[in-house]
mmCIF file of all heavy atoms in Angstrom:
data_model
loop_
_atom_site.group_PDB
_atom_site.id
_atom_site.type_symbol
_atom_site.label_atom_id
_atom_site.label_comp_id
_atom_site.label_asym_id
_atom_site.label_seq_id
_atom_site.Cartn_x
_atom_site.Cartn_y
_atom_site.Cartn_z
ATOM 1 N N VAL A 1 -37.433 -133.782 -126.692
ATOM 2 C CA VAL A 1 -38.460 -134.649 -126.389
ATOM 3 C C VAL A 1 -39.445 -134.010 -125.401
ATOM 4 O O VAL A 1 -39.049 -133.487 -124.392
ATOM 5 C CB VAL A 1 -37.945 -135.929 -125.763
ATOM 6 C CG1 VAL A 1 -39.056 -136.901 -125.356
ATOM 7 C CG2 VAL A 1 -37.049 -136.681 -126.783
ATOM 8 N N PRO A 2 -40.753 -133.947 -125.672
ATOM 9 C CA PRO A 2 -41.731 -133.383 -124.747
ATOM 10 C C PRO A 2 -41.751 -134.128 -123.450
ATOM 11 O O PRO A 2 -41.479 -135.327 -123.412
ATOM 12 C CB PRO A 2 -43.026 -133.447 -125.565
ATOM 13 C CG PRO A 2 -42.881 -134.553 -126.547
ATOM 14 C CD PRO A 2 -41.416 -134.518 -126.944
ATOM 15 N N LEU A 3 -42.264 -133.491 -122.456
ATOM 16 C CA LEU A 3 -42.365 -134.046 -121.124
ATOM 17 C C LEU A 3 -43.217 -135.318 -121.143
ATOM 18 O O LEU A 3 -42.938 -136.289 -120.432
ATOM 19 C CB LEU A 3 -42.946 -133.048 -120.151
ATOM 20 C CG LEU A 3 -42.797 -133.314 -118.644
ATOM 21 C CD1 LEU A 3 -41.364 -133.542 -118.260
ATOM 22 C CD2 LEU A 3 -43.384 -132.180 -117.917
ATOM 23 N N GLU A 4 -44.193 -135.299 -122.012
ATOM 24 C CA GLU A 4 -45.132 -136.491 -122.136
ATOM 25 C C GLU A 4 -44.347 -137.776 -122.514
ATOM 26 O O GLU A 4 -44.721 -138.848 -122.144
ATOM 27 C CB GLU A 4 -46.202 -136.236 -123.202
ATOM 28 C CG GLU A 4 -47.282 -135.363 -122.695
ATOM 29 C CD GLU A 4 -46.998 -133.881 -122.781
ATOM 30 O OE1 GLU A 4 -45.804 -133.530 -123.102
ATOM 31 O OE2 GLU A 4 -47.824 -133.002 -122.377
ATOM 32 N N GLU A 5 -43.214 -137.607 -123.212
ATOM 33 C CA GLU A 5 -42.496 -138.748 -123.711
ATOM 34 C C GLU A 5 -41.164 -138.931 -122.952
ATOM 35 O O GLU A 5 -40.484 -139.967 -123.272
ATOM 36 C CB GLU A 5 -42.083 -138.568 -125.210
ATOM 37 C CG GLU A 5 -43.438 -138.458 -126.059
ATOM 38 C CD GLU A 5 -43.030 -138.195 -127.523
ATOM 39 O OE1 GLU A 5 -41.823 -138.333 -127.921
ATOM 40 O OE2 GLU A 5 -43.936 -137.764 -128.289
ATOM 41 N N ALA A 6 -40.882 -138.037 -122.080
ATOM 42 C CA ALA A 6 -39.601 -138.119 -121.319
ATOM 43 C C ALA A 6 -39.577 -139.124 -120.195
ATOM 44 O O ALA A 6 -38.518 -139.621 -119.792
ATOM 45 C CB ALA A 6 -39.224 -136.810 -120.773
ATOM 46 N N PHE A 7 -40.764 -139.553 -119.711
ATOM 47 C CA PHE A 7 -40.838 -140.500 -118.631
ATOM 48 C C PHE A 7 -41.854 -141.570 -118.950
ATOM 49 O O PHE A 7 -42.747 -141.412 -119.839
ATOM 50 C CB PHE A 7 -41.243 -139.770 -117.322
ATOM 51 C CG PHE A 7 -40.280 -138.684 -116.900
ATOM 52 C CD1 PHE A 7 -40.551 -137.369 -117.166
ATOM 53 C CD2 PHE A 7 -39.091 -139.007 -116.219
ATOM 54 C CE1 PHE A 7 -39.679 -136.306 -116.834
ATOM 55 C CE2 PHE A 7 -38.243 -138.010 -115.880
ATOM 56 C CZ PHE A 7 -38.508 -136.694 -116.162
ATOM 57 N N ASP A 8 -41.764 -142.675 -118.242
ATOM 58 C CA ASP A 8 -42.761 -143.755 -118.389
ATOM 59 C C ASP A 8 -43.948 -143.536 -117.440
ATOM 60 O O ASP A 8 -43.926 -143.966 -116.320
ATOM 61 C CB ASP A 8 -42.022 -145.117 -118.051
ATOM 62 C CG ASP A 8 -43.020 -146.297 -118.257
ATOM 63 O OD1 ASP A 8 -44.108 -146.056 -118.799
ATOM 64 O OD2 ASP A 8 -42.653 -147.432 -117.757
ATOM 65 N N TRP A 9 -44.910 -142.875 -117.945
ATOM 66 C CA TRP A 9 -46.102 -142.457 -117.140
ATOM 67 C C TRP A 9 -46.990 -143.654 -116.830
ATOM 68 O O TRP A 9 -47.758 -143.633 -115.914
ATOM 69 C CB TRP A 9 -46.917 -141.365 -117.836
ATOM 70 C CG TRP A 9 -46.123 -140.141 -118.036
ATOM 71 C CD1 TRP A 9 -45.647 -139.618 -119.244
ATOM 72 C CD2 TRP A 9 -45.627 -139.234 -117.008
ATOM 73 N NE1 TRP A 9 -44.901 -138.524 -119.029
ATOM 74 C CE2 TRP A 9 -44.905 -138.231 -117.696
ATOM 75 C CE3 TRP A 9 -45.792 -139.203 -115.663
ATOM 76 C CZ2 TRP A 9 -44.342 -137.168 -116.972
ATOM 77 C CZ3 TRP A 9 -45.183 -138.102 -115.004
ATOM 78 C CH2 TRP A 9 -44.454 -137.122 -115.649
ATOM 79 N N SER A 10 -46.790 -144.764 -117.593
ATOM 80 C CA SER A 10 -47.646 -145.917 -117.338
ATOM 81 C C SER A 10 -47.409 -146.552 -115.973
ATOM 82 O O SER A 10 -48.278 -147.342 -115.527
ATOM 83 C CB SER A 10 -47.376 -147.004 -118.421
ATOM 84 O OG SER A 10 -46.073 -147.456 -118.366
ATOM 85 N N LYS A 11 -46.332 -146.179 -115.275
ATOM 86 C CA LYS A 11 -46.058 -146.806 -113.970
ATOM 87 C C LYS A 11 -46.861 -146.040 -112.892
ATOM 88 O O LYS A 11 -46.881 -146.545 -111.750
ATOM 89 C CB LYS A 11 -44.564 -146.691 -113.649
ATOM 90 C CG LYS A 11 -44.015 -145.295 -113.408
ATOM 91 C CD LYS A 11 -42.588 -145.334 -113.132
ATOM 92 C CE LYS A 11 -42.006 -143.926 -112.848
ATOM 93 N NZ LYS A 11 -40.545 -143.980 -112.529
ATOM 94 N N TYR A 12 -47.543 -144.956 -113.249
ATOM 95 C CA TYR A 12 -48.340 -144.248 -112.261
ATOM 96 C C TYR A 12 -49.829 -144.604 -112.509
ATOM 97 O O TYR A 12 -50.252 -144.868 -113.633
ATOM 98 C CB TYR A 12 -48.160 -142.750 -112.421
ATOM 99 C CG TYR A 12 -46.813 -142.291 -112.163
ATOM 100 C CD1 TYR A 12 -45.915 -141.963 -113.239
ATOM 101 C CD2 TYR A 12 -46.318 -142.166 -110.834
ATOM 102 C CE1 TYR A 12 -44.614 -141.513 -112.931
ATOM 103 C CE2 TYR A 12 -45.031 -141.712 -110.611
ATOM 104 C CZ TYR A 12 -44.196 -141.342 -111.653
ATOM 105 O OH TYR A 12 -42.952 -140.945 -111.441
ATOM 106 N N PRO A 13 -50.598 -144.595 -111.394
ATOM 107 C CA PRO A 13 -52.078 -144.830 -111.590
ATOM 108 C C PRO A 13 -52.665 -143.696 -112.403
ATOM 109 O O PRO A 13 -52.229 -142.590 -112.315
ATOM 110 C CB PRO A 13 -52.615 -144.741 -110.077
ATOM 111 C CG PRO A 13 -51.406 -144.865 -109.236
ATOM 112 C CD PRO A 13 -50.203 -144.354 -110.009
ATOM 113 N N SER A 14 -53.640 -144.030 -113.230
ATOM 114 C CA SER A 14 -54.243 -143.049 -114.076
ATOM 115 C C SER A 14 -55.715 -142.933 -113.766
ATOM 116 O O SER A 14 -56.283 -143.885 -113.278
ATOM 117 C CB SER A 14 -54.031 -143.365 -115.547
ATOM 118 O OG SER A 14 -54.701 -144.601 -115.920
ATOM 119 N N LYS A 15 -56.290 -141.815 -114.081
ATOM 120 C CA LYS A 15 -57.708 -141.544 -113.840
ATOM 121 C C LYS A 15 -58.325 -140.670 -115.016
ATOM 122 O O LYS A 15 -57.678 -139.663 -115.327
ATOM 123 C CB LYS A 15 -58.024 -140.900 -112.499
ATOM 124 C CG LYS A 15 -59.484 -140.816 -112.166
ATOM 125 C CD LYS A 15 -59.730 -140.246 -110.819
ATOM 126 C CE LYS A 15 -59.374 -141.230 -109.716
ATOM 127 N NZ LYS A 15 -60.370 -142.358 -109.610
ATOM 128 N N LYS A 16 -59.393 -141.103 -115.521
ATOM 129 C CA LYS A 16 -60.027 -140.322 -116.629
ATOM 130 C C LYS A 16 -60.784 -139.115 -115.984
ATOM 131 O O LYS A 16 -61.596 -139.348 -115.092
ATOM 132 C CB LYS A 16 -60.870 -141.175 -117.465
ATOM 133 C CG LYS A 16 -61.442 -140.434 -118.742
ATOM 134 C CD LYS A 16 -62.164 -141.416 -119.690
ATOM 135 C CE LYS A 16 -61.214 -142.438 -120.295
ATOM 136 N NZ LYS A 16 -60.278 -141.834 -121.226
ATOM 137 N N VAL A 17 -60.529 -137.973 -116.508
ATOM 138 C CA VAL A 17 -61.184 -136.765 -115.906
ATOM 139 C C VAL A 17 -61.640 -135.861 -117.073
ATOM 140 O O VAL A 17 -61.274 -136.024 -118.179
ATOM 141 C CB VAL A 17 -60.178 -135.959 -115.002
ATOM 142 C CG1 VAL A 17 -59.648 -136.798 -113.882
ATOM 143 C CG2 VAL A 17 -59.060 -135.315 -115.859
ATOM 144 N N VAL A 18 -62.509 -134.915 -116.644
ATOM 145 C CA VAL A 18 -62.926 -133.867 -117.555
ATOM 146 C C VAL A 18 -62.201 -132.603 -117.018
ATOM 147 O O VAL A 18 -62.449 -132.232 -115.842
ATOM 148 C CB VAL A 18 -64.443 -133.625 -117.618
ATOM 149 C CG1 VAL A 18 -64.756 -132.377 -118.383
ATOM 150 C CG2 VAL A 18 -65.063 -134.844 -118.203
ATOM 151 N N ALA A 19 -61.402 -131.986 -117.795
ATOM 152 C CA ALA A 19 -60.579 -130.866 -117.335
ATOM 153 C C ALA A 19 -60.918 -129.596 -118.121
ATOM 154 O O ALA A 19 -60.998 -129.625 -119.337
ATOM 155 C CB ALA A 19 -59.100 -131.186 -117.514
ATOM 156 N N THR A 20 -61.158 -128.552 -117.362
ATOM 157 C CA THR A 20 -61.443 -127.216 -117.905
ATOM 158 C C THR A 20 -60.370 -126.279 -117.452
ATOM 159 O O THR A 20 -59.568 -126.561 -116.558
ATOM 160 C CB THR A 20 -62.813 -126.715 -117.529
ATOM 161 O OG1 THR A 20 -62.928 -126.817 -116.135
ATOM 162 C CG2 THR A 20 -63.935 -127.549 -118.167
ATOM 163 N N GLY A 21 -60.383 -125.045 -118.015
ATOM 164 C CA GLY A 21 -59.361 -124.002 -117.574
ATOM 165 C C GLY A 21 -60.088 -122.944 -116.808
ATOM 166 O O GLY A 21 -61.285 -122.672 -117.043
ATOM 167 N N TYR A 22 -59.291 -122.322 -115.957
ATOM 168 C CA TYR A 22 -59.884 -121.182 -115.165
ATOM 169 C C TYR A 22 -58.837 -120.138 -114.908
ATOM 170 O O TYR A 22 -57.643 -120.408 -115.056
ATOM 171 C CB TYR A 22 -60.559 -121.637 -113.874
ATOM 172 C CG TYR A 22 -59.620 -121.888 -112.690
ATOM 173 C CD1 TYR A 22 -59.559 -120.967 -111.616
ATOM 174 C CD2 TYR A 22 -58.714 -122.968 -112.675
ATOM 175 C CE1 TYR A 22 -58.675 -121.138 -110.569
ATOM 176 C CE2 TYR A 22 -57.903 -123.202 -111.549
ATOM 177 C CZ TYR A 22 -57.854 -122.263 -110.539
ATOM 178 O OH TYR A 22 -57.003 -122.408 -109.476
ATOM 179 N N THR A 23 -59.239 -118.977 -114.496
ATOM 180 C CA THR A 23 -58.310 -117.893 -114.109
ATOM 181 C C THR A 23 -58.661 -117.425 -112.749
ATOM 182 O O THR A 23 -59.627 -117.920 -112.122
ATOM 183 C CB THR A 23 -58.441 -116.697 -115.100
ATOM 184 O OG1 THR A 23 -59.708 -116.037 -114.820
ATOM 185 C CG2 THR A 23 -58.320 -117.114 -116.559
ATOM 186 N N ALA A 24 -57.875 -116.485 -112.204
ATOM 187 C CA ALA A 24 -58.150 -115.951 -110.919
ATOM 188 C C ALA A 24 -59.158 -114.809 -110.968
ATOM 189 O O ALA A 24 -59.563 -114.289 -109.904
ATOM 190 C CB ALA A 24 -56.859 -115.423 -110.261
ATOM 191 N N GLY A 25 -59.601 -114.468 -112.159
ATOM 192 C CA GLY A 25 -60.474 -113.279 -112.355
ATOM 193 C C GLY A 25 -61.926 -113.518 -112.040
ATOM 194 O O GLY A 25 -62.382 -114.574 -111.670
ATOM 195 N N VAL A 26 -62.683 -112.476 -112.229
ATOM 196 C CA VAL A 26 -64.134 -112.477 -112.039
ATOM 197 C C VAL A 26 -64.814 -113.512 -112.829
ATOM 198 O O VAL A 26 -65.814 -114.175 -112.339
ATOM 199 C CB VAL A 26 -64.738 -111.023 -112.394
ATOM 200 C CG1 VAL A 26 -66.248 -111.122 -112.178
ATOM 201 C CG2 VAL A 26 -64.080 -109.970 -111.453
ATOM 202 N N GLU A 27 -64.437 -113.712 -114.067
ATOM 203 C CA GLU A 27 -65.071 -114.684 -114.937
ATOM 204 C C GLU A 27 -65.072 -116.118 -114.350
ATOM 205 O O GLU A 27 -65.899 -116.935 -114.703
ATOM 206 C CB GLU A 27 -64.464 -114.695 -116.324
ATOM 207 C CG GLU A 27 -63.001 -115.080 -116.424
ATOM 208 C CD GLU A 27 -62.061 -114.025 -115.909
ATOM 209 O OE1 GLU A 27 -62.440 -112.841 -115.885
ATOM 210 O OE2 GLU A 27 -60.872 -114.394 -115.627
ATOM 211 N N SER A 28 -64.090 -116.423 -113.492
ATOM 212 C CA SER A 28 -63.976 -117.756 -112.925
ATOM 213 C C SER A 28 -64.240 -117.861 -111.499
ATOM 214 O O SER A 28 -64.875 -118.774 -110.965
ATOM 215 C CB SER A 28 -62.582 -118.367 -113.191
ATOM 216 O OG SER A 28 -62.250 -118.499 -114.521
ATOM 217 N N THR A 29 -63.810 -116.796 -110.746
ATOM 218 C CA THR A 29 -63.968 -116.903 -109.252
ATOM 219 C C THR A 29 -64.939 -115.813 -108.670
ATOM 220 O O THR A 29 -65.284 -115.943 -107.478
ATOM 221 C CB THR A 29 -62.573 -116.654 -108.565
ATOM 222 O OG1 THR A 29 -62.138 -115.339 -108.898
ATOM 223 C CG2 THR A 29 -61.543 -117.614 -109.168
#
């Protein structure tokens, strides 16, 4: 079972976000 289904996440506050990915390299930092 994936982590997303292993716990009841609905008991935690949620927030809608825009998420991007980054690295430690020159292209990001």
